[in-house]
Amino acid sequence: MNLPQVKGRLEKDYSLKKLNTWRIGGQAETVFWPENSNELLDMLNWCQQNSLPIVLLGRGSNVLLPDKGLRGMVIVTTKIDSINWQEDRVQVGAGYSLIRLASEAALRGLQGLEFACGIPGTIGAGIAINAGAHGGEIGNLVEEVKVLTAEGKILELNGEEIKFSYRDSSLVQNGYWVLESTIRLKAGGKSSDIREKMKTLKYKRRQTQPLEYPNAGSIFRNPPGHSAGQLIEQAGWKGYRLGEAEVSEKHANFIINKGNAKADDVLELISIVQQDIKDKYGLVLETEVKIVNS
Ligand SMILES: Cc1cc2nc3c(=O)[nH]c(=O)nc-3n(C[C@H](O)[C@H](O)[C@H](O)COP(=O)(O)OP(=O)(O)OC[C@H]3O[C@@H](n4cnc5c(N)ncnc54)[C@H](O)[C@@H]3O)c2cc1C
């Protein structure tokens, strides 16, 4: 099967470990980094015509990829990174790094993205799953979003037309892919104050999260009124290890890769912890990490 002519990078038999922050997973049959939204649309059409399965990734900081690898096409958005700053707004491509966006906003004295300064994903995935921290959420800043539907149609949505909730949105529920967005910030801030605030937030993260090991952020959503990390710690799971996957000693809602952890070890660890929390406290822990099957 001949792949379409594209400008973006294409790789065959590529390690999934290089495409996620956990450094877990087998081989991808094909990986494509579109240079812009049009290339992504062309590849979607081509894959559909050839009945090839597709997995969309940003920076892979919220996914568990399978040991068996992925057949078909993995599309990585990180080269869709156009950016256009206006006075108190920024129009940005889906693959732009959230950390970079937050720090560039700070340099311009624009407030609103401080909470995102330690979230190692793309703005596109961040909007889709309404990423948030320290009381802030991306959904609150969204003015407009350009999305691609599963049928290959491009829609332009107003912020108010999108329903954002805790680590979720109507974009995910509808299976839309974010191509581009306009984010509204607050002008007139003092750059040094904003940067100082971000420095404090980053320091807090380094103190409380196991950033020295490959990980994928929080494994479980917080059940209403509870902290998943506290429940897991209270139940005694800190430091528990299967293969080279371990419930972090530093933060119980993180599973770290101590070397060559397998997705199957992580999955088993997840299900053991889920069962125990259900037995002990009658609470259901739902995963925040997206589990991708081969
Ligand atoms: C150390 C660490 C700390 C973290 N802290 C936080 C935090 O404080 N708050 C928080 O919310 N998250 C946090 N995360 C999780 C993660 O960084 C965010 O969820 C981030 O938004 C995921 O972006 P990504 O580009 O890495 O997405 P990926 O992991 O590549 O993808 C995640 C999901 O989004 C889908 N997706 C990817 N791109 C798009 C797109 N353009 N349109 C639609 N869907 C898309 C994928 O198919 C997948 O289902 C943390 C992760 C790590 C490793």
Side-chain angles (χ1 to χ4, degrees):
M1 198 184 307
N2 285 332
L3 288 160
Q5 287 295 314
V6 282
K7 282 219 303 239
R9 179 176 165 206
L10 262 172
E11 295 278 353
K12 289 246 162 213
D13 193 23
Y14 191 84
S15 171
L16 289 172
K17 289 189 172 68
K18 296 185 196 164
L19 299 179
N20 70 96
T21 56
W22 236 335
R23 305 273 171 263
I24 289 178
Q27 296 295 112
E29 191 178 0
T30 318
V31 184
F32 176 50
W33 288 260
E35 290 279 320
N36 51 50
S37 310
N38 290 338
E39 281 206 338
L40 189 148
L41 178 57
D42 290 348
M43 188 56 87
L44 171 74
N45 287 334
W46 184 84
C47 289
Q48 288 181 337
Q49 278 155 22
N50 290 284
S51 308
L52 279 191
I54 309 172
V55 169
L56 182 72
L57 289 182
R59 297 180 81 87
S61 62
N62 198 32
V63 284
L64 180 62
L65 302 179
D67 297 324
K68 279 196 189 133
L70 288 171
R71 229 172 42 75
M73 185 69 64
V74 176
I75 300 182
V76 183
T77 63
T78 49
K79 292 285 173 202
I80 306 178
D81 60 354
S82 59
I83 187 150
N84 177 14
W85 292 95
Q86 291 136 23
E87 213 163 301
D88 60 348
R89 283 167 171 69
V90 59
Q91 197 178 12
V92 61
Y96 210 84
S97 148
L98 205 43
I99 290 180
R100 185 169 168 202
L101 191 66
S103 88
E104 289 174 358
L107 286 175
R108 290 166 183 266
L110 293 172
Q111 293 166 294
L113 268 174
E114 295 87 333
F115 73 88
C117 67
I119 304 181
T122 56
I123 180 79
I127 290 174
I129 59 183
N130 192 20
H134 318 291
E137 283 183 339
I138 298 198
N140 295 333
L141 306 173
V142 172
E143 192 161 278
E144 267 174 22
V145 183
K146 197 198 264 185
V147 297
L148 186 60
T149 70
E151 296 75 39
K153 257 179 50 189
I154 290 179
L155 304 179
E156 297 204 5
L157 304 172
N158 229 303
E160 293 91 65
E161 292 175 79
I162 306 165
K163 219 172 135 233
F164 291 104
S165 51
Y166 171 51
R167 303 296 167 270
D168 200 7
S169 78
S170 51
L171 301 171
V172 172
Q173 289 147 22
N174 290 325
Y176 294 165
W177 291 355
V178 175
L179 298 177
E180 194 183 275
S181 62
T182 305
I183 300 294
R184 190 185 42 248
L185 298 163
K186 195 165 160 233
K190 206 166 150 208
S191 175
S192 56
D193 290 349
I194 302 172
R195 279 183 292 159
E196 196 52 41
K197 187 169 168 196
M198 294 194 341
K199 209 168 135 193
T200 310
L201 294 177
K202 280 189 191 159
Y203 177 77
K204 205 165 139 196
R205 263 183 201 268
R206 280 199 303 277
Q207 297 301 104
T208 55
Q209 299 183 353
L211 305 184
E212 50 286 355
Y213 289 102
N215 70 79
S218 298
I219 301 293
F220 300 106
R221 294 156 173 268
N222 291 321
H226 297 271
S227 146
Q230 271 171 20
L231 292 168
I232 301 164
E233 179 171 355
Q234 210 174 303
W237 289 104
K238 268 189 168 180
Y240 186 80
R241 193 163 170 172
L242 274 184
E244 293 184 78
E246 182 178 300
V247 177
S248 164
E249 294 273 7
K250 208 165 171 185
H251 192 313
N253 200 17
F254 279 63
I255 291 178
I256 54 176
N257 179 356
K258 301 272 311 219
N260 193 20
K262 299 281 173 240
D264 285 347
D265 296 330
V266 174
L267 286 173
E268 206 179 323
L269 209 43
I270 286 174
S271 90
I272 293 172
V273 170
Q274 278 173 324
Q275 188 59 54
D276 189 54
I277 298 300
K278 191 155 180 235
D279 293 345
K280 286 200 171 106
Y281 309 111
L283 291 167
V284 176
L285 286 182
E286 286 173 11
T287 49
E288 182 169 325
V289 162
K290 308 285 173 294
I291 294 161
V292 179
N293 296 311
S294 50

